[in-house]
Amino acid sequence: MLSRLARPLLGSGQLLQAAWVRGITNTTGSQHAEVALAEAAQQEIHVVQPSQGTPRWLQELGAIRTDWTRDEITAVYETPLLDLVYHAAKVHRMYNDPQMVQRCTLLSIKTGGCPETCNYCSQSSSWSKDTGMKAEKLMDLEEVYQAALRARESGSTRFCMGAAWRGPSQVGARQWERVLEMVGRIRGLGMEVCTTLGMLTPEQARQLRDAGLTAYNHNLDTSPEFYGKVTTSRKYEDRLNTLEAVREAGISVCAGGIIGLGEGPQDRVGLIHQLATLPAHPESVPINRLVAIKGTPLEGQEPPSGLDLVRCIATARVVMPKTVVRLSAGRLNLSQGDQALAFLAGANSIFDGDKLLTTKNNDRNEDMVMFENLGLKSRPAFMGYGAGNDTSRDFGAQGVPPAGTPWATSAPSDDSVPVPEGGGCCGGPKKTTATSAGGCC
């Protein structure tokens, strides 16, 4: 229900300047919506005039809620596609600059030999003979650092590192320390740093946070009900426990899923419902489109259409208004039109560069042409993330190292690198050089 103050405003059906009916709800739905200043000030936001049968999600379009029901998200998901994109685009503009899309680079720092049994992944040791994937050693620190430099010089503002591990607990202390050093060195470049390293303990999450990690990726992949058909080597609860450890450590949560695994529409709804009803919405939700890899159990799986991807992105945008929705794997054979519709529906991030972990990605030059054609601009590093909670927001928003953090001063003082043209890496004034000790921030 809406408060008494909100009802007459809704009844007017007018355009309200810089005012919005925000649903301030908890998971039990005990608090009501209230009228407050829009967080996207200076915008005209249309408040839907309620009529008999108007669903709550339309009456409160753009409200930040964690009490979504599956039935509500099903109704959003099943909305005729053009209407859904229209509603999602309105929500997107309430909280985001629709032209701003973050460019991220993903690097596999430890490839192959993974003990997990994710049916979509070529890195599992269970079918390495079929995929031809050989287990490699963890990359050297300097090699990873140079890759991050190249990514930054090419315009990426977020550097993501993935290791084919069940989790850091399976590796030795020296390898773990090397990863922590990688995080600190790259954070010192003024880039956001994200890792995906498998399941974490609370202590490991705290160590990553202390090293300077911005975000941790740990995808739920699909709905709880379908998860057993994706992998048998871990449980859904294991994924949720890692997300809780990441959140408690004050690291931004990056959690999404993959469509095209053989799931049905209700599994896609179930995934989005799981994410939207976490205690705080993830700062980032990557939506991946399956890239079927020869030799994996899903090698013959048909990829979902571009419009299927757009429907999932639009649904995620409606139910998680402030979250960065990341258009991730599976872009390679999408047209510019497909991607344009995804950006219109609320996607505001892509992976940049010609390779993801083990699969091909769109050519960087092609992406630059697309940005120009669509009038897109790159999102700077450390631009505030509206989703999540205060623990991660305090640490990650400004790119400022906590007092006493070793990585803030550990990098060589003479290791200066050029800043790409177009301004400071964090959206501030352009500088001639940026030192690895402090970045251009």
Side-chain angles (χ1 to χ4, degrees), residues 72-249:
E72 282 183 301
I73 296 179
T74 297
V76 176
Y77 183 86
E78 292 180 348
T79 299
L81 184 61
L82 293 182
D83 285 345
L84 175 57
V85 171
Y86 169 70
H87 294 310
K90 288 202 297 183
V91 173
H92 189 39
R93 282 155 175 74
M94 291 176 193
Y95 299 101
N96 305 283
D97 180 344
Q99 291 182 301
M100 192 166 286
V101 175
Q102 187 169 33
R103 295 164 57 197
C104 313
T105 296
L106 176 60
L107 176 68
S108 178
I109 60 172
K110 195 285 174 192
T111 304
C114 183
E116 300 281 22
T117 59
C118 304
N119 289 337
Y120 54 82
C121 185
S122 63
Q123 302 199 65
S124 174
S125 59
S126 297
W127 35 82
S128 58
K129 291 182 179 179
D130 298 318
T131 60
M133 180 67 67
K134 295 181 179 179
E136 300 177 3
K137 294 181 179 180
L138 179 68
M139 291 176 66
D140 291 333
L141 171 61
E142 189 60 27
E143 189 178 5
V144 173
Y145 182 71
Q146 291 300 320
L149 283 176
R150 291 192 296 272
R152 199 188 74 163
E153 289 165 0
S154 297
S156 287
T157 60
R158 186 177 178 106
F159 193 77
C160 308
M161 297 177 284
W165 293 338
R166 178 175 172 83
S169 298
Q170 81 173 77
V171 302
R174 291 203 300 179
Q175 291 188 68
W176 178 235
E177 286 297 325
R178 195 189 311 171
V179 170
L180 296 177
E181 282 190 77
M182 292 174 185
V183 170
R185 287 286 302 278
I186 297 167
R187 179 67 180 262
L189 292 174
M191 300 183 80
E192 296 178 17
V193 188
C194 179
T195 58
T196 178
L197 310 169
M199 293 183 287
L200 295 180
T201 66
E203 176 59 25
Q204 290 162 351
R206 285 191 291 270
Q207 289 173 334
L208 284 167
R209 201 256 196 206
D210 290 343
L213 191 71
T214 311
Y216 194 82
N217 169 258
H218 203 61
N219 288 335
L220 297 180
D221 291 343
T222 187
S223 69
E225 295 82 3
F226 193 74
Y227 195 68
K229 296 182 180 179
V230 175
T231 182
T232 56
S233 57
R234 59 175 182 261
K235 298 179 180 179
Y236 209 77
E237 192 66 26
D238 296 329
R239 310 300 278 180
L240 295 175
N241 288 341
T242 289
L243 293 183
E244 183 179 4
V246 168
R247 177 65 75 203
E248 288 299 315

